[in-house]
Structures are given as structure tokens and as C-alpha cells.
Amino acid sequence: MSLEGVGRKTGLRTKLIGLLTAVLVLITVVFLFYAYEDQRQRAERELLEESRVLVAEMDAVWDFISLNQNTINYDSDGAYDYKGIHCAIAGKSVAALFSERSEYSIRFTNLNPRNIYNRPDTYETAALETFLRDSSASEMWGFEEEGGKPVFRYVEVMKVSDACVDCHGRPAGEIDETGYMKEGWDVGDVAGAVSVVVPAESALESMRAAVATNVVFFLLVATAMVVIIYVVISRMVTEPLTALRSAFSRVADQSSPSGTKGSLGPAGEEAPLIAGSLDSSPLFTTREIDGLVEQYRSMAERLNTLYDSLESQVAERTEQLQRANDELEQQRKRVEEINERLQRDSRYKSDFLAIVSHELRTPLTSILAFTDLLEQEISPDNEAAVKQLDEIDKNGALLLEMVDNVLECARIQAGSESVNLELIDLNDIVGMIEAAMSPVAVKKGVLFETRVSAAVPLIESDWEKLRRAIVNLVSNAVKFTPSGGRVTLEVEYESPAQLLRSDRWRSATFIGGEVPSGGGVVAITVTDSGIGIPADKHVLVFERFRQENMSTVRRYGGSGLGLSLVRDLVAMLEGCVTLRSAPGEGSTFSLYVPVAFEGGIDD
């Protein structure tokens, strides 16, 4: 990465400010929630304690009237004189007077009150039902809205005591001394509840003010800490790194092609530029930055040494490269001369083979013709002469076949062979081959059969090349099949997809050529029951002048050109060759040629 690219990226200070700001915002939000919840709980506890004190005062009034009930309702002579003052009247009256003279509201309530003005509201009803349902519950409190203002609600249970039984005990329905029917309560039953409503606006305002004060104080402290951290990191990290980057930039400028040619100078010249800002205050120096500076100084010294010897090294390497290029050029010229000689020798060899083969063909043809004439003139009773003429004819035909193969190979190798396209009926070619090879097969005691499928169409190909390829396969099959064996020539039509799915294709060895694609394919198969070929020799037998082994040459003869010629001819016809064979199981050679020739035609 270049130093210019570093400058375009976000700086450490910017990242530090962003990170600290994000952390500060997160901590402030957490602290705000914490402070708010803490102050709310404080306000709730204060209002709860205040409500409990008010209820305790009301209980004291209630208990005072209850304890002095006899004194109030008996005259000086000791006679009962009910004056209409009892604990409930006193407590409720005091509560009403207190509620009128303050912002607080205190009242006594019950689910079935004797006075309709003591009926509970929704909050009180929920509290009373809770007290009746859960005997362990004794109080209930919370914040609510009344008249658009926040209030604190507190409800405390009232239990039936011994003093309450006279007016509210058993039997239920009996008229008590106050003129009301008794409820039939027992000691410990829920008699009702004391309900207190305390204004909460001032408490909540105090809570919010406390929260705001705490948050502002926290922000001031956090901001001060962020500023201190920023200043310290800037002095301890970013400023030294900036100075170090400037030094690296100078190194890069001097080492670039456009920079000043020469060494960087002593490391001491660069050191003050770095150490000046780092050593200005020992408070801000760190072991890590000092180590980095020392590493830079060591690197600068090594670079100085390297650059001092760089020009001499470049000159030396340039000279070595020039010598190597000169040697390569000489070797290239020698290779070109060798290639020219090889091409010339190959051309001479091909010309020699073509000339010799052509010159040998004429006398061989004459020998075979005169042999046929002698066979007609010699009496069949002269068995020795007939046998000799038969040997002459057989060996002459074999020699003529070898000459023709040599001549064809020479023309193909010299590039003088061309494809002559025409419409071909494979029935004609098969018929011609059958007529020519049947006598040879009969003479050897081999059954030769042919079959052409009715689905085989006319194809566009080279008559002579296709005929020679098939003749070579059939001739080889007859040659290597012992007496009593069989040779079969079959021609079928297949699509490329059918061909690739067939067992005959998948189990065979692909020898060479181009697998036909697109249109239809004609499969020409020659099968024999001869000696067979080992799997590791399938490709070998298609090479020029190669056969399975020398014993095969001595026993069956041949030049080793027939199968290589088949491979080359079929490749010129845009087809391919496969082989299936195993020792003692015979051989199956297959030629696949396209129905329509798609390639160009050599002139």
C-alpha cells in the first residue's frame, strides 16, 4: 500500500473521536435510565413513608376514640348515655377535616359501606379485592393521574379488632347501638381500608431536577475524561506516528525513480525529525513508540547500505542478463538450423519412400500378372508348380500391399494428400471389399460375412480413403484369424448421443481422431475371432512400424503400417477409431465417420 493511499483513509484522531463519542452517548443513555429509575424509586419511597405516617396518625385518632368510648358515652353517675360519637365517626371526621384543609386526601372505605360516600373507587376496589384474596397483603400503592396531575395512591388494610365486634360482630343483621345492622365480622376479618391520595407533582419535579443535575454532572465528567484521553493519545500515539509517517514519505520519495539519486544519508539525519516531537516531554514517551522509532532507524541504515551498492548490483545483473540473452540467441539459431536440417531430411525421406514405392509397384504388378498367366498354363496335376506359383502370388500381393501402404503414408506425411468429397453408398464399398477379400478368406479357411443396416444413408466422404481404411482392417482381421475362425464387417447408423451411450463405445479404447458431433454417425465395425491384443498394446499397434511383438511379425508378416494408416485416413475424414480386444478373445475395430463432412477440403 502506498503512503498516498494511507493519507486518503480515515485518520486515527477521527476514529478516536468517533469511538469516544459513541461510547459517551451509550454510557450517557445507560446512566440516564439508571438515574431516572433510581430517583423515581427514591420519590416513591418518600411518598410511601409520608402516606404511612398519615395512616398511622389516623389509626391513632381511631384508637384514641375507641379507648375512651366509655368515658364519652357514660354520664357522671355512670349511666350509659350514647352521644353519637364513636371511633368510625371520629376517624372519618378528622380525615375529612384534614382533606379539606390540605392538598392530601384521606378516607375510609369498604366494599359494602354503611355510608354511600364511603364507596371505593376503581383503585380502592382493586386493593380491597387483593386484601380479601390474599391474607398476607396489607398495603398497595402506586402513581396515577387525577385531574390531569400526578398523584400517589396508598391503601392500607383495616382488620376487625375486639373493639369493633360490638358494632360489627355477630349476630349478623342485628341492630347495633348506632342504628345499623351488624355485618357479622369476626376478629381478624377485613373491615375495610384507609385510602390516602398524596400530590406527587412536586416530588416528580424534584426527581426530574435531580436526574437532570446528575446527567449534566456526569456529562461534564465524561467529557473531561474524553478530552484528557484524546490529548494523551494524540501526544503519545498519533503525533509520533505522524512524524514517523513523514519520515517514511521522505524515504519513499528518495527511493522512487523521480527522487533524488543517491543514498538517504546517515540515520542520524532522519532521527531528529522523529525524536524532536517524541522527546519534547518525557511524560508522553512510550516504550512501544521508542521501539518503533529504533526499528525505523535500523531500517534506514540498512536501506542506506543497500542503496549505496544498488547501482553496481544493477549494472552487474544487467551485464549477466545481456550475456544470457546472447547465449539464448545463439542457441535459438542453432535450433533453427537443426529444425531446417530435420525438415529437409524428413522431406528427403518422404520423397525417397514415395519414389521407391512407386518404382517397386510397377514391377510387382507385372510379377503378379505373369503369375496369374502361369497359373492358367500349368497343369493342375503339377502340384509343386501350383504351390510355388501360389506362394509367389501370395507374397507378391503382400509386398504390393506393403508398398501401397508405404506410398500412402509418405503422401500423408508430406501433406500432399487431399480429401475428395462425393456421395458414397457404403453398400458399394462393402460389396467391393467382400468380392476382393472373400477369396483370400476362403483360401485361409476363414468365414467372412458382411452386413449393412437398412438405416445407413448416403454419406459425404472420400471413397478411396474410406475403402483403403476398411480394406486394411479386414485384411488384418483375416491375416490374424486362424483357420475355422470368423471375420464380420458391419455398418450401422447412430446419432452421436446413441454412440456415446452404447456399450461398444464405453468399453472400447479410444485410439485417435475426432469424435463426430452434430449430425448422424456411421459406425463401421470389423470383428474377428483371432489371436487378440493385450490392453496395454492397444495404442501401440496403431503406431508406424510397430506390432505387438516380433513373433507376430515372423508368424503373420506385415510392415506395421496398416493400422497407423487407418488412424490417419479416418482422422482426415473427421472420424475416429476405437478398439476392443483381449488375448484369445479376438478383436473389434470400429471406425466412426460423420454422415456429412463439415471441415474444409484441401486443394
PDB file of all heavy atoms in Angstrom, residues 19-51:
ATOM      1  N   LEU A  19     -15.183   7.028  18.080  1.00  0.00           N
ATOM      2  CA  LEU A  19     -15.354   5.935  19.038  1.00  0.00           C
ATOM      3  C   LEU A  19     -15.688   6.479  20.425  1.00  0.00           C
ATOM      4  O   LEU A  19     -16.617   5.986  21.091  1.00  0.00           O
ATOM      5  CB  LEU A  19     -14.072   5.096  19.089  1.00  0.00           C
ATOM      6  CG  LEU A  19     -14.070   3.923  20.074  1.00  0.00           C
ATOM      7  CD1 LEU A  19     -15.167   2.938  19.726  1.00  0.00           C
ATOM      8  CD2 LEU A  19     -12.708   3.233  20.086  1.00  0.00           C
ATOM      9  N   LEU A  20     -14.952   7.487  20.870  1.00  0.00           N
ATOM     10  CA  LEU A  20     -15.219   8.046  22.194  1.00  0.00           C
ATOM     11  C   LEU A  20     -16.602   8.681  22.257  1.00  0.00           C
ATOM     12  O   LEU A  20     -17.302   8.569  23.273  1.00  0.00           O
ATOM     13  CB  LEU A  20     -14.146   9.084  22.541  1.00  0.00           C
ATOM     14  CG  LEU A  20     -12.734   8.523  22.782  1.00  0.00           C
ATOM     15  CD1 LEU A  20     -11.755   9.662  23.042  1.00  0.00           C
ATOM     16  CD2 LEU A  20     -12.726   7.558  23.961  1.00  0.00           C
ATOM     17  N   THR A  21     -17.019   9.342  21.181  1.00  0.00           N
ATOM     18  CA  THR A  21     -18.356   9.943  21.148  1.00  0.00           C
ATOM     19  C   THR A  21     -19.435   8.866  21.246  1.00  0.00           C
ATOM     20  O   THR A  21     -20.410   9.010  21.998  1.00  0.00           O
ATOM     21  CB  THR A  21     -18.539  10.748  19.857  1.00  0.00           C
ATOM     22  OG1 THR A  21     -17.532  11.766  19.782  1.00  0.00           O
ATOM     23  CG2 THR A  21     -19.910  11.398  19.817  1.00  0.00           C
ATOM     24  N   ALA A  22     -19.251   7.781  20.498  1.00  0.00           N
ATOM     25  CA  ALA A  22     -20.229   6.693  20.555  1.00  0.00           C
ATOM     26  C   ALA A  22     -20.288   6.074  21.944  1.00  0.00           C
ATOM     27  O   ALA A  22     -21.375   5.806  22.480  1.00  0.00           O
ATOM     28  CB  ALA A  22     -19.883   5.624  19.512  1.00  0.00           C
ATOM     29  N   VAL A  23     -19.115   5.853  22.546  1.00  0.00           N
ATOM     30  CA  VAL A  23     -19.079   5.291  23.902  1.00  0.00           C
ATOM     31  C   VAL A  23     -19.733   6.249  24.893  1.00  0.00           C
ATOM     32  O   VAL A  23     -20.503   5.844  25.785  1.00  0.00           O
ATOM     33  CB  VAL A  23     -17.628   4.979  24.309  1.00  0.00           C
ATOM     34  CG1 VAL A  23     -17.553   4.590  25.770  1.00  0.00           C
ATOM     35  CG2 VAL A  23     -17.068   3.875  23.436  1.00  0.00           C
ATOM     36  N   LEU A  24     -19.450   7.557  24.743  1.00  0.00           N
ATOM     37  CA  LEU A  24     -20.023   8.556  25.643  1.00  0.00           C
ATOM     38  C   LEU A  24     -21.549   8.587  25.525  1.00  0.00           C
ATOM     39  O   LEU A  24     -22.261   8.638  26.535  1.00  0.00           O
ATOM     40  CB  LEU A  24     -19.433   9.932  25.336  1.00  0.00           C
ATOM     41  CG  LEU A  24     -19.967  11.102  26.179  1.00  0.00           C
ATOM     42  CD1 LEU A  24     -19.678  10.849  27.660  1.00  0.00           C
ATOM     43  CD2 LEU A  24     -19.346  12.421  25.725  1.00  0.00           C
ATOM     44  N   VAL A  25     -22.046   8.550  24.300  1.00  0.00           N
ATOM     45  CA  VAL A  25     -23.503   8.556  24.100  1.00  0.00           C
ATOM     46  C   VAL A  25     -24.136   7.317  24.723  1.00  0.00           C
ATOM     47  O   VAL A  25     -25.173   7.399  25.407  1.00  0.00           O
ATOM     48  CB  VAL A  25     -23.826   8.645  22.598  1.00  0.00           C
ATOM     49  CG1 VAL A  25     -25.311   8.400  22.343  1.00  0.00           C
ATOM     50  CG2 VAL A  25     -23.420  10.005  22.048  1.00  0.00           C
ATOM     51  N   LEU A  26     -23.501   6.157  24.513  1.00  0.00           N
ATOM     52  CA  LEU A  26     -24.040   4.917  25.066  1.00  0.00           C
ATOM     53  C   LEU A  26     -24.050   4.961  26.598  1.00  0.00           C
ATOM     54  O   LEU A  26     -25.061   4.613  27.234  1.00  0.00           O
ATOM     55  CB  LEU A  26     -23.205   3.731  24.577  1.00  0.00           C
ATOM     56  CG  LEU A  26     -23.624   2.350  25.088  1.00  0.00           C
ATOM     57  CD1 LEU A  26     -25.040   2.026  24.648  1.00  0.00           C
ATOM     58  CD2 LEU A  26     -22.647   1.291  24.603  1.00  0.00           C
ATOM     59  N   ILE A  27     -22.940   5.391  27.181  1.00  0.00           N
ATOM     60  CA  ILE A  27     -22.868   5.448  28.641  1.00  0.00           C
ATOM     61  C   ILE A  27     -23.868   6.476  29.186  1.00  0.00           C
ATOM     62  O   ILE A  27     -24.513   6.252  30.226  1.00  0.00           O
ATOM     63  CB  ILE A  27     -21.432   5.794  29.083  1.00  0.00           C
ATOM     64  CG1 ILE A  27     -20.478   4.653  28.707  1.00  0.00           C
ATOM     65  CG2 ILE A  27     -21.376   6.046  30.575  1.00  0.00           C
ATOM     66  CD1 ILE A  27     -19.039   4.935  29.034  1.00  0.00           C
ATOM     67  N   THR A  28     -24.030   7.597  28.486  1.00  0.00           N
ATOM     68  CA  THR A  28     -24.977   8.617  28.931  1.00  0.00           C
ATOM     69  C   THR A  28     -26.401   8.081  28.931  1.00  0.00           C
ATOM     70  O   THR A  28     -27.175   8.320  29.866  1.00  0.00           O
ATOM     71  CB  THR A  28     -24.876   9.852  28.020  1.00  0.00           C
ATOM     72  OG1 THR A  28     -23.543  10.360  28.047  1.00  0.00           O
ATOM     73  CG2 THR A  28     -25.831  10.928  28.468  1.00  0.00           C
ATOM     74  N   VAL A  29     -26.758   7.347  27.871  1.00  0.00           N
ATOM     75  CA  VAL A  29     -28.109   6.772  27.807  1.00  0.00           C
ATOM     76  C   VAL A  29     -28.327   5.780  28.950  1.00  0.00           C
ATOM     77  O   VAL A  29     -29.366   5.800  29.634  1.00  0.00           O
ATOM     78  CB  VAL A  29     -28.324   6.082  26.437  1.00  0.00           C
ATOM     79  CG1 VAL A  29     -29.621   5.288  26.429  1.00  0.00           C
ATOM     80  CG2 VAL A  29     -28.346   7.099  25.320  1.00  0.00           C
ATOM     81  N   VAL A  30     -27.324   4.924  29.185  1.00  0.00           N
ATOM     82  CA  VAL A  30     -27.443   3.955  30.285  1.00  0.00           C
ATOM     83  C   VAL A  30     -27.550   4.680  31.623  1.00  0.00           C
ATOM     84  O   VAL A  30     -28.390   4.340  32.483  1.00  0.00           O
ATOM     85  CB  VAL A  30     -26.237   2.992  30.272  1.00  0.00           C
ATOM     86  CG1 VAL A  30     -26.262   2.085  31.497  1.00  0.00           C
ATOM     87  CG2 VAL A  30     -26.241   2.160  29.006  1.00  0.00           C
ATOM     88  N   PHE A  31     -26.695   5.693  31.804  1.00  0.00           N
ATOM     89  CA  PHE A  31     -26.719   6.433  33.061  1.00  0.00           C
ATOM     90  C   PHE A  31     -28.036   7.172  33.238  1.00  0.00           C
ATOM     91  O   PHE A  31     -28.557   7.269  34.358  1.00  0.00           O
ATOM     92  CB  PHE A  31     -25.552   7.430  33.113  1.00  0.00           C
ATOM     93  CG  PHE A  31     -25.510   8.248  34.378  1.00  0.00           C
ATOM     94  CD1 PHE A  31     -25.029   7.692  35.555  1.00  0.00           C
ATOM     95  CD2 PHE A  31     -25.975   9.555  34.404  1.00  0.00           C
ATOM     96  CE1 PHE A  31     -25.000   8.438  36.727  1.00  0.00           C
ATOM     97  CE2 PHE A  31     -25.943  10.296  35.571  1.00  0.00           C
ATOM     98  CZ  PHE A  31     -25.459   9.743  36.735  1.00  0.00           C
ATOM     99  N   LEU A  32     -28.594   7.711  32.143  1.00  0.00           N
ATOM    100  CA  LEU A  32     -29.867   8.416  32.223  1.00  0.00           C
ATOM    101  C   LEU A  32     -30.977   7.482  32.714  1.00  0.00           C
ATOM    102  O   LEU A  32     -31.760   7.828  33.605  1.00  0.00           O
ATOM    103  CB  LEU A  32     -30.218   8.995  30.853  1.00  0.00           C
ATOM    104  CG  LEU A  32     -31.575   9.710  30.741  1.00  0.00           C
ATOM    105  CD1 LEU A  32     -31.597  10.915  31.663  1.00  0.00           C
ATOM    106  CD2 LEU A  32     -31.824  10.147  29.296  1.00  0.00           C
ATOM    107  N   PHE A  33     -31.027   6.289  32.127  1.00  0.00           N
ATOM    108  CA  PHE A  33     -32.040   5.325  32.574  1.00  0.00           C
ATOM    109  C   PHE A  33     -31.822   4.938  34.037  1.00  0.00           C
ATOM    110  O   PHE A  33     -32.780   4.833  34.820  1.00  0.00           O
ATOM    111  CB  PHE A  33     -32.004   4.076  31.685  1.00  0.00           C
ATOM    112  CG  PHE A  33     -32.721   4.254  30.386  1.00  0.00           C
ATOM    113  CD1 PHE A  33     -32.021   4.402  29.201  1.00  0.00           C
ATOM    114  CD2 PHE A  33     -34.106   4.284  30.331  1.00  0.00           C
ATOM    115  CE1 PHE A  33     -32.671   4.563  28.001  1.00  0.00           C
ATOM    116  CE2 PHE A  33     -34.772   4.452  29.133  1.00  0.00           C
ATOM    117  CZ  PHE A  33     -34.059   4.594  27.966  1.00  0.00           C
ATOM    118  N   TYR A  34     -30.571   4.729  34.391  1.00  0.00           N
ATOM    119  CA  TYR A  34     -30.272   4.351  35.772  1.00  0.00           C
ATOM    120  C   TYR A  34     -30.651   5.472  36.734  1.00  0.00           C
ATOM    121  O   TYR A  34     -31.298   5.234  37.778  1.00  0.00           O
ATOM    122  CB  TYR A  34     -28.787   4.012  35.909  1.00  0.00           C
ATOM    123  CG  TYR A  34     -28.332   3.883  37.344  1.00  0.00           C
ATOM    124  CD1 TYR A  34     -28.636   2.736  38.069  1.00  0.00           C
ATOM    125  CD2 TYR A  34     -27.632   4.910  37.968  1.00  0.00           C
ATOM    126  CE1 TYR A  34     -28.232   2.619  39.401  1.00  0.00           C
ATOM    127  CE2 TYR A  34     -27.232   4.804  39.297  1.00  0.00           C
ATOM    128  CZ  TYR A  34     -27.533   3.654  40.007  1.00  0.00           C
ATOM    129  OH  TYR A  34     -27.139   3.551  41.315  1.00  0.00           O
ATOM    130  N   ALA A  35     -30.250   6.708  36.422  1.00  0.00           N
ATOM    131  CA  ALA A  35     -30.534   7.842  37.309  1.00  0.00           C
ATOM    132  C   ALA A  35     -32.038   8.071  37.427  1.00  0.00           C
ATOM    133  O   ALA A  35     -32.558   8.330  38.522  1.00  0.00           O
ATOM    134  CB  ALA A  35     -29.839   9.105  36.788  1.00  0.00           C
ATOM    135  N   TYR A  36     -32.737   7.975  36.316  1.00  0.00           N
ATOM    136  CA  TYR A  36     -34.195   8.183  36.348  1.00  0.00           C
ATOM    137  C   TYR A  36     -34.860   7.126  37.228  1.00  0.00           C
ATOM    138  O   TYR A  36     -35.713   7.441  38.064  1.00  0.00           O
ATOM    139  CB  TYR A  36     -34.754   8.124  34.927  1.00  0.00           C
ATOM    140  CG  TYR A  36     -36.247   8.284  34.874  1.00  0.00           C
ATOM    141  CD1 TYR A  36     -36.830   9.547  34.905  1.00  0.00           C
ATOM    142  CD2 TYR A  36     -37.081   7.161  34.823  1.00  0.00           C
ATOM    143  CE1 TYR A  36     -38.214   9.695  34.874  1.00  0.00           C
ATOM    144  CE2 TYR A  36     -38.455   7.298  34.800  1.00  0.00           C
ATOM    145  CZ  TYR A  36     -39.023   8.566  34.826  1.00  0.00           C
ATOM    146  OH  TYR A  36     -40.383   8.704  34.802  1.00  0.00           O
ATOM    147  N   GLU A  37     -34.500   5.877  37.033  1.00  0.00           N
ATOM    148  CA  GLU A  37     -35.105   4.808  37.819  1.00  0.00           C
ATOM    149  C   GLU A  37     -34.747   4.949  39.301  1.00  0.00           C
ATOM    150  O   GLU A  37     -35.598   4.742  40.188  1.00  0.00           O
ATOM    151  CB  GLU A  37     -34.636   3.445  37.296  1.00  0.00           C
ATOM    152  CG  GLU A  37     -35.286   2.256  37.971  1.00  0.00           C
ATOM    153  CD  GLU A  37     -36.781   2.189  37.768  1.00  0.00           C
ATOM    154  OE1 GLU A  37     -37.280   2.793  36.789  1.00  0.00           O
ATOM    155  OE2 GLU A  37     -37.458   1.540  38.587  1.00  0.00           O
ATOM    156  N   ASP A  38     -33.525   5.327  39.604  1.00  0.00           N
ATOM    157  CA  ASP A  38     -33.117   5.494  41.000  1.00  0.00           C
ATOM    158  C   ASP A  38     -33.879   6.635  41.673  1.00  0.00           C
ATOM    159  O   ASP A  38     -34.383   6.482  42.798  1.00  0.00           O
ATOM    160  CB  ASP A  38     -31.610   5.760  41.051  1.00  0.00           C
ATOM    161  CG  ASP A  38     -31.105   5.950  42.469  1.00  0.00           C
ATOM    162  OD1 ASP A  38     -31.150   4.970  43.233  1.00  0.00           O
ATOM    163  OD2 ASP A  38     -30.676   7.068  42.789  1.00  0.00           O
ATOM    164  N   GLN A  39     -33.998   7.790  40.972  1.00  0.00           N
ATOM    165  CA  GLN A  39     -34.713   8.927  41.550  1.00  0.00           C
ATOM    166  C   GLN A  39     -36.203   8.636  41.667  1.00  0.00           C
ATOM    167  O   GLN A  39     -36.861   9.076  42.626  1.00  0.00           O
ATOM    168  CB  GLN A  39     -34.484  10.177  40.689  1.00  0.00           C
ATOM    169  CG  GLN A  39     -33.060  10.696  40.731  1.00  0.00           C
ATOM    170  CD  GLN A  39     -32.646  11.115  42.130  1.00  0.00           C
ATOM    171  OE1 GLN A  39     -33.445  11.645  42.905  1.00  0.00           O
ATOM    172  NE2 GLN A  39     -31.379  10.865  42.467  1.00  0.00           N
ATOM    173  N   ARG A  40     -36.746   7.886  40.709  1.00  0.00           N
ATOM    174  CA  ARG A  40     -38.175   7.539  40.798  1.00  0.00           C
ATOM    175  C   ARG A  40     -38.430   6.657  42.015  1.00  0.00           C
ATOM    176  O   ARG A  40     -39.422   6.844  42.744  1.00  0.00           O
ATOM    177  CB  ARG A  40     -38.611   6.823  39.529  1.00  0.00           C
ATOM    178  CG  ARG A  40     -40.118   6.598  39.439  1.00  0.00           C
ATOM    179  CD  ARG A  40     -40.450   5.635  38.336  1.00  0.00           C
ATOM    180  NE  ARG A  40     -39.965   4.303  38.656  1.00  0.00           N
ATOM    181  CZ  ARG A  40     -40.599   3.459  39.494  1.00  0.00           C
ATOM    182  NH1 ARG A  40     -41.706   3.823  40.105  1.00  0.00           N
ATOM    183  NH2 ARG A  40     -40.093   2.273  39.743  1.00  0.00           N
ATOM    184  N   GLN A  41     -37.541   5.707  42.243  1.00  0.00           N
ATOM    185  CA  GLN A  41     -37.698   4.850  43.419  1.00  0.00           C
ATOM    186  C   GLN A  41     -37.549   5.640  44.712  1.00  0.00           C
ATOM    187  O   GLN A  41     -38.254   5.399  45.699  1.00  0.00           O
ATOM    188  CB  GLN A  41     -36.688   3.705  43.364  1.00  0.00           C
ATOM    189  CG  GLN A  41     -36.945   2.701  42.255  1.00  0.00           C
ATOM    190  CD  GLN A  41     -35.907   1.618  42.214  1.00  0.00           C
ATOM    191  OE1 GLN A  41     -34.996   1.575  43.040  1.00  0.00           O
ATOM    192  NE2 GLN A  41     -36.026   0.730  41.231  1.00  0.00           N
ATOM    193  N   ARG A  42     -36.617   6.615  44.712  1.00  0.00           N
ATOM    194  CA  ARG A  42     -36.451   7.470  45.900  1.00  0.00           C
ATOM    195  C   ARG A  42     -37.732   8.256  46.187  1.00  0.00           C
ATOM    196  O   ARG A  42     -38.207   8.336  47.333  1.00  0.00           O
ATOM    197  CB  ARG A  42     -35.286   8.431  45.696  1.00  0.00           C
ATOM    198  CG  ARG A  42     -33.912   7.791  45.774  1.00  0.00           C
ATOM    199  CD  ARG A  42     -32.843   8.812  45.419  1.00  0.00           C
ATOM    200  NE  ARG A  42     -31.525   8.231  45.485  1.00  0.00           N
ATOM    201  CZ  ARG A  42     -30.752   8.228  46.579  1.00  0.00           C
ATOM    202  NH1 ARG A  42     -31.203   8.793  47.702  1.00  0.00           N
ATOM    203  NH2 ARG A  42     -29.560   7.685  46.573  1.00  0.00           N
ATOM    204  N   ALA A  43     -38.292   8.879  45.106  1.00  0.00           N
ATOM    205  CA  ALA A  43     -39.524   9.657  45.282  1.00  0.00           C
ATOM    206  C   ALA A  43     -40.666   8.767  45.755  1.00  0.00           C
ATOM    207  O   ALA A  43     -41.460   9.149  46.621  1.00  0.00           O
ATOM    208  CB  ALA A  43     -39.889  10.350  43.967  1.00  0.00           C
ATOM    209  N   GLU A  44     -40.717   7.547  45.197  1.00  0.00           N
ATOM    210  CA  GLU A  44     -41.775   6.627  45.597  1.00  0.00           C
ATOM    211  C   GLU A  44     -41.632   6.236  47.070  1.00  0.00           C
ATOM    212  O   GLU A  44     -42.632   6.178  47.817  1.00  0.00           O
ATOM    213  CB  GLU A  44     -41.735   5.387  44.705  1.00  0.00           C
ATOM    214  CG  GLU A  44     -42.896   4.435  44.937  1.00  0.00           C
ATOM    215  CD  GLU A  44     -42.817   3.248  43.999  1.00  0.00           C
ATOM    216  OE1 GLU A  44     -41.760   2.579  43.977  1.00  0.00           O
ATOM    217  OE2 GLU A  44     -43.808   2.990  43.298  1.00  0.00           O
ATOM    218  N   ARG A  45     -40.380   5.987  47.501  1.00  0.00           N
ATOM    219  CA  ARG A  45     -40.167   5.631  48.905  1.00  0.00           C
ATOM    220  C   ARG A  45     -40.551   6.781  49.846  1.00  0.00           C
ATOM    221  O   ARG A  45     -41.158   6.566  50.924  1.00  0.00           O
ATOM    222  CB  ARG A  45     -38.716   5.225  49.123  1.00  0.00           C
ATOM    223  CG  ARG A  45     -38.375   3.845  48.580  1.00  0.00           C
ATOM    224  CD  ARG A  45     -37.053   3.364  49.147  1.00  0.00           C
ATOM    225  NE  ARG A  45     -35.941   4.223  48.774  1.00  0.00           N
ATOM    226  CZ  ARG A  45     -35.211   4.065  47.679  1.00  0.00           C
ATOM    227  NH1 ARG A  45     -35.490   3.078  46.843  1.00  0.00           N
ATOM    228  NH2 ARG A  45     -34.212   4.881  47.417  1.00  0.00           N
ATOM    229  N   GLU A  46     -40.204   8.016  49.457  1.00  0.00           N
ATOM    230  CA  GLU A  46     -40.545   9.166  50.293  1.00  0.00           C
ATOM    231  C   GLU A  46     -42.055   9.339  50.409  1.00  0.00           C
ATOM    232  O   GLU A  46     -42.599   9.577  51.507  1.00  0.00           O
ATOM    233  CB  GLU A  46     -39.898  10.430  49.720  1.00  0.00           C
ATOM    234  CG  GLU A  46     -38.383  10.440  49.844  1.00  0.00           C
ATOM    235  CD  GLU A  46     -37.771  11.655  49.167  1.00  0.00           C
ATOM    236  OE1 GLU A  46     -38.538  12.468  48.609  1.00  0.00           O
ATOM    237  OE2 GLU A  46     -36.530  11.790  49.196  1.00  0.00           O
ATOM    238  N   LEU A  47     -42.763   9.241  49.281  1.00  0.00           N
ATOM    239  CA  LEU A  47     -44.219   9.376  49.310  1.00  0.00           C
ATOM    240  C   LEU A  47     -44.858   8.233  50.072  1.00  0.00           C
ATOM    241  O   LEU A  47     -45.874   8.412  50.768  1.00  0.00           O
ATOM    242  CB  LEU A  47     -44.758   9.427  47.883  1.00  0.00           C
ATOM    243  CG  LEU A  47     -44.375  10.675  47.074  1.00  0.00           C
ATOM    244  CD1 LEU A  47     -44.806  10.520  45.614  1.00  0.00           C
ATOM    245  CD2 LEU A  47     -45.019  11.917  47.678  1.00  0.00           C
ATOM    246  N   LEU A  48     -44.272   7.033  49.955  1.00  0.00           N
ATOM    247  CA  LEU A  48     -44.807   5.889  50.689  1.00  0.00           C
ATOM    248  C   LEU A  48     -44.666   6.091  52.191  1.00  0.00           C
ATOM    249  O   LEU A  48     -45.616   5.830  52.966  1.00  0.00           O
ATOM    250  CB  LEU A  48     -44.084   4.615  50.236  1.00  0.00           C
ATOM    251  CG  LEU A  48     -44.486   3.315  50.934  1.00  0.00           C
ATOM    252  CD1 LEU A  48     -45.966   3.001  50.684  1.00  0.00           C
ATOM    253  CD2 LEU A  48     -43.619   2.152  50.451  1.00  0.00           C
ATOM    254  N   GLU A  49     -43.498   6.567  52.627  1.00  0.00           N
ATOM    255  CA  GLU A  49     -43.300   6.811  54.055  1.00  0.00           C
ATOM    256  C   GLU A  49     -44.237   7.899  54.557  1.00  0.00           C
ATOM    257  O   GLU A  49     -44.805   7.808  55.662  1.00  0.00           O
ATOM    258  CB  GLU A  49     -41.834   7.189  54.328  1.00  0.00           C
ATOM    259  CG  GLU A  49     -40.844   6.055  54.120  1.00  0.00           C
ATOM    260  CD  GLU A  49     -41.136   4.883  55.038  1.00  0.00           C
ATOM    261  OE1 GLU A  49     -41.546   5.121  56.206  1.00  0.00           O
ATOM    262  OE2 GLU A  49     -40.977   3.728  54.590  1.00  0.00           O
ATOM    263  N   GLU A  50     -44.436   8.935  53.752  1.00  0.00           N
ATOM    264  CA  GLU A  50     -45.346  10.015  54.140  1.00  0.00           C
ATOM    265  C   GLU A  50     -46.770   9.487  54.275  1.00  0.00           C
ATOM    266  O   GLU A  50     -47.492   9.824  55.217  1.00  0.00           O
ATOM    267  CB  GLU A  50     -45.265  11.126  53.090  1.00  0.00           C
ATOM    268  CG  GLU A  50     -46.046  12.377  53.471  1.00  0.00           C
ATOM    269  CD  GLU A  50     -45.865  13.488  52.460  1.00  0.00           C
ATOM    270  OE1 GLU A  50     -45.038  13.318  51.524  1.00  0.00           O
ATOM    271  OE2 GLU A  50     -46.534  14.527  52.590  1.00  0.00           O
ATOM    272  N   SER A  51     -47.176   8.628  53.343  1.00  0.00           N
ATOM    273  CA  SER A  51     -48.530   8.061  53.397  1.00  0.00           C
ATOM    274  C   SER A  51     -48.686   7.159  54.616  1.00  0.00           C
ATOM    275  O   SER A  51     -49.740   7.158  55.286  1.00  0.00           O
ATOM    276  CB  SER A  51     -48.808   7.268  52.119  1.00  0.00           C
ATOM    277  OG  SER A  51     -48.721   8.091  50.982  1.00  0.00           O
TER     278      SER A  51
END
